[in-house]
Amino acid sequence: MTAGSGDLSHITRVDRFARPEPALPVPPQVRAQLAARFGLFGIRTAVLLIRAGVRDSATLAAELTQRSGLAELRSVLDVQFAQRADQLKAHSRWSHWARMPATQRGTAVDRLLPRVRALLADVHGFAELPLLGRLRSGELPLPPRESAELHRLLGGSGVAARPRPRLPADADAATVRAAARDAVRRRRLRARHPLVDRATAQACLAGACSGEGIADRFPEPPTTPLTGIPPSRRCPHHSHHFCCGEPMSAVFRISAPGRRRPRRYRRNGRR
C-alpha cells in the first residue's frame, strides 16, 4: 500500500486488507495491527490525508484525532458528566433515601423525606442533558447563532454560571444578573413566537429556566430604607394628605384671566 496508489479496493474489508495477497509494501502482520487500531475508516482517511500533502506523523495524528470526533467526545463527557458529578451523585443518594423501606418510618430519615422529595422534584439539571444532545444533532430548527446561545445557556460549554451567558470569569454579580435576565427575556420571546414548533418552544423555555437559575445565584443586594423623609401628616379636616397649612392646603379657583385666588374648604366641603 503506497500513498500514491490510486486503488483503494483492497481497503474494504479487514480480512482482505490483512491477506498476504495482493503484495503490498507493508507486511500482513503490520496491516492487521493497523486495522485493529485504526479501523478501515482510519486507514482510508490516513491515505487520503497523505495524498493531500501531509508528510509528518504529528500532523497526521492531529488530523486523524480531529476527524475521529475524540475531542468532541471528551468535551461532552466532561460537560455532561464530570462537571455534573456532584449533582448526579446527590440525585442517586436522594433516590435511595426516597426508596427507604417502610421499616424505617418514624426515624430521623422519615423526617427528611419531604425535603428529599422536594429536591428530587427539581430535575431541571437532568432535563438539560437530552436537550444538549438534540442541539448537537441539529434536530431543533434554530438559526446557528441562537442554537449556539441556547447550547451555552443549557450548560453545553460548562455548568458554571458565568460561561453560560458568555461572560468572562471575572464578571461581577450585577453583570451576570443582567445578562441572565436578558437571556431569559429573549428565550421566552422565542418560545412565544407563533411559528415556533412545540419541541423548539420547550427547549427555549428550558433555556429560560436555566437563565433564571443563574440570576437566582446572584441576588440583588438588600435595599436600604430612605432616611430623613418625615412621615406624611393627614389633614384633620380632609381625607387626603398635606392639606390645611401644607403646600397643597389651598384649592385654587380661577377668578379672573391670569389670576388665581385660593379658596379654602371647611370640613363639610362648603365654602
Side-chain angles (χ1 to χ4, degrees), residues 207-222:
C209 186
S210 299
E212 291 174 350
I214 298 172
D216 292 339
R217 298 184 194 178
F218 301 89
E220 296 184 0

Side-chain angles (χ1 to χ4, degrees), residues 8-139:
L8 297 179
S9 59
H10 52 276
I11 318 180
T12 56
R13 295 172 53 185
V14 176
D15 56 349
R16 184 177 180 181
F17 178 70
R19 288 177 185 174
E21 297 294 337
L24 296 174
V26 182
Q29 297 81 3
V30 178
R31 278 182 270 157
Q33 295 176 0
L34 291 174
R37 181 171 183 179
F38 297 101
L40 294 181
F41 174 77
I43 295 174
R44 294 176 68 93
T45 304
V47 172
L48 294 176
L49 288 173
I50 293 173
R51 289 178 179 177
V54 177
R55 290 293 178 265
D56 57 287
S57 59
T59 305
L60 181 61
E63 293 290 339
L64 289 175
T65 302
Q66 180 181 359
R67 285 165 173 77
S68 67
L70 184 60
E72 184 179 0
L73 176 61
R74 289 176 177 173
S75 176
V76 171
L77 293 176
D78 176 62
V79 171
Q80 295 195 7
F81 298 101
Q83 297 186 20
R84 301 174 189 260
D86 294 338
Q87 183 181 8
L88 296 173
K89 292 178 182 178
H91 187 272
S92 176
R93 185 160 299 180
W94 294 337
S95 300
H96 174 71
W97 285 350
R99 294 192 301 266
M100 292 294 290
T103 56
Q104 301 292 333
R105 298 295 186 249
T107 61
V109 177
D110 192 19
R111 293 191 296 270
L112 294 176
L113 284 179
R115 177 59 177 166
V116 170
R117 293 193 181 100
L119 293 172
L120 288 174
D122 185 12
V123 294
H124 178 70
F126 298 94
E128 292 177 340
L129 298 179
L131 290 176
L132 290 173
R134 300 183 68 179
L135 285 171
R136 291 191 185 93
S137 62
E139 295 183 17

Side-chain angles (χ1 to χ4, degrees), residues 191-245:
R192 290 197 298 264
H193 197 279
L195 299 181
V196 171
D197 60 290
R198 182 177 180 182
T200 304
Q202 291 178 349
C204 291
L205 291 177
C209 186
S210 299
E212 291 174 350
I214 298 172
D216 292 339
R217 298 184 194 178
F218 301 89
E220 296 184 0
T223 58
T224 304
L226 297 177
T227 59
I229 300 180
S232 60
R233 292 184 294 175
R234 185 177 297 275
C235 174
H237 304 294
H238 304 92
S239 60
H240 53 275
H241 295 274
F242 301 105
C243 185
C244 295

